[in-house]
Amino acid sequence: MDHEALNKENNRTSIRSLLEILMVSTKLGFTSFGGPIAHLGYFHDEYVRRRKWMDEKSYADLVALCQFLPGPASSQVGIGIGVMRAGVLGGIVSFLGFTLPSVIALIVFALILQELNIGEAGWIHGLKIVAVAVVAHAILGMAQKLTPDLKRKAIALLALVVTLLWPTAYTQVGIIILSALIGYLLYKEHKANDAARINFPISRSFALICLALFFGLLILLPILRKVTSLNWIAMFDSFYRSGSLVFGGGHVVLPLLEREFVPNGWISKEAFLAGYGAAQAVPGPLFTFAAYLGAVMNGWLGGLLATVAIFLPAFLLILGTLPFWDTLRRNPKVNGALMGVNAAVVGILISAFYQPIWISSILSPIDFAFVAILFSMLVYWKLPPWIIVLTGAIGGSLMALL
């Protein structure tokens, strides 16, 4: 009887924990504007300073892991905190609370937009120029961190040249594998910094299943896409691969998504950029831009499918690496391989930045001058992204009158 009462009490405690996580993460999902760095500040204030769910060092180590992995860093930190608080279910609930507000807002926006006729208006061209400034800033910041020496710059250059000349899904996966091998050979003696240990309530066997799923889907989805020619598999593959190869936050996913969907005619440039502007205006992770794209292509179901596909790699990676993080970051060989992968991703993103973003947006000297102004506003004056978007839309409309 005592054992049964204890189980009931544990269940009540677990349900209370899950509801608490849902309430807190949903509040953050409605109020967290400003991109991934700002999100991490909101998380620190809520989870560490106010609620004391974890200490400063544990939070810093979790952030380090999520910055190290591909995917949306702030979302992965939220998932990790949920896992530490209430296991895998806690991670899922934390993710849903933080992500669903912007997902729903962007799907609704996409459905409304479908009723309107979007042409090549001046404000749309202005948003294209905004995209150039924002993505250039994101890639430059990433390159400074991930390619600080000549060897990694060479890996990035190799990835840039190969993916620019042969822009296919197989090329991206192949260059990642090759770069991991090069990084292993070049940096296998590289020593990682010592750090405090963190314990997570996930078994190593479950983590291995998650990692196997991550790599299995990354390899098998492009094959299934070719074999079946089903649209929903092609969509899932494109979003999943984009979510798997992005380091440095949501802005960097833009060139990968544009390359996947605009040249194929799945979505027009105008609709793509209109959605990107809307994604800047809502709180939560910028990866929810995928929900907008999916909804434009296939309604509500497409929006939900795209959301699952682009966030699934982040989920599998954070759950798959948490139990092994201490070991991995102290292993020079694994660390070396990942250094090579990080460098290659910089090259892949520069390639995607050139084609299609740059060549479809910068068409004249005035476009170049305008992107220089927007870039300066973002980088040097440090104005928030929504002001850059608004300036881009107004400037594009004015330039169309010239």
Side-chain angles (χ1 to χ4, degrees), residues 7 37 132 164 186 200 210 268 284 336 359 363 377:
N7 282 340
I37 301 301
V132 173
L164 199 58
L186 293 177
F200 296 94
C210 291
S268 69
I359 63 175
L363 308 176
M377 291 169 64

Side-chain angles (χ1 to χ4, degrees), residues 363-385:
L363 308 176
S364 66
I366 193 171
D367 290 343
F368 188 86
F370 191 38
V371 77
I373 293 170
L374 294 175
F375 184 83
S376 299
M377 291 169 64
L378 182 66
V379 178
Y380 304 122
W381 299 340
K382 302 188 184 305
L383 297 176

Side-chain angles (χ1 to χ4, degrees), residues 89-158:
L89 272 180
I92 293 171
V93 167
S94 178
F95 165 77
L96 290 175
F98 183 58
T99 308
L100 278 183
S102 54
V103 166
I104 293 170
L106 289 172
I107 289 177
V108 169
F109 178 72
L111 297 178
I112 292 172
L113 207 64
Q114 284 181 311
E115 302 300 320
L116 306 174
N117 182 23
I118 300 182
E120 182 60 54
W123 67 275
I124 291 291
H125 185 64
L127 289 181
K128 290 183 181 181
I129 297 173
V130 169
V132 173
V134 171
V135 177
H137 179 221
I139 293 177
L140 282 173
M142 224 175 62
Q144 289 175 351
K145 293 178 182 176
L146 301 182
T147 58
D149 55 62
L150 284 176
K151 293 176 184 176
R152 277 178 279 182
K153 284 180 171 65
I155 295 173
L157 180 61
L158 173 66

Side-chain angles (χ1 to χ4, degrees), residues 33-189:
F33 291 88
I37 301 301
H39 298 165
L40 295 177
Y42 289 118
F43 286 178
H44 179 274
D45 184 63
E46 188 68 37
Y47 293 129
V48 179
R49 192 180 65 82
R50 293 185 57 197
R51 297 185 179 272
K52 302 189 187 305
W53 285 3
M54 60 198 310
D55 59 36
E56 293 279 355
K57 183 60 180 171
S58 296
Y59 182 75
D61 286 346
L62 179 60
V63 170
L65 168 61
C66 297
Q67 296 281 11
F68 184 70
L69 295 172
S74 58
S75 295
Q76 287 170 313
V77 169
I79 294 166
I81 291 171
V83 169
M84 293 171 70
R85 186 74 176 169
V88 175
L89 272 180
I92 293 171
V93 167
S94 178
F95 165 77
L96 290 175
F98 183 58
T99 308
L100 278 183
S102 54
V103 166
I104 293 170
L106 289 172
I107 289 177
V108 169
F109 178 72
L111 297 178
I112 292 172
L113 207 64
Q114 284 181 311
E115 302 300 320
L116 306 174
N117 182 23
I118 300 182
E120 182 60 54
W123 67 275
I124 291 291
H125 185 64
L127 289 181
K128 290 183 181 181
I129 297 173
V130 169
V132 173
V134 171
V135 177
H137 179 221
I139 293 177
L140 282 173
M142 224 175 62
Q144 289 175 351
K145 293 178 182 176
L146 301 182
T147 58
D149 55 62
L150 284 176
K151 293 176 184 176
R152 277 178 279 182
K153 284 180 171 65
I155 295 173
L157 180 61
L158 173 66
L160 165 63
V161 171
V162 171
T163 54
L164 199 58
L165 297 179
W166 297 281
T168 69
Y170 299 105
T171 303
Q172 288 182 3
V173 176
I175 200 67
I176 288 289
I177 294 171
L178 176 61
S179 300
L181 178 60
I182 295 172
Y184 166 78
L185 294 174
L186 293 177
Y187 295 102
K188 59 185 176 182
E189 303 301 328

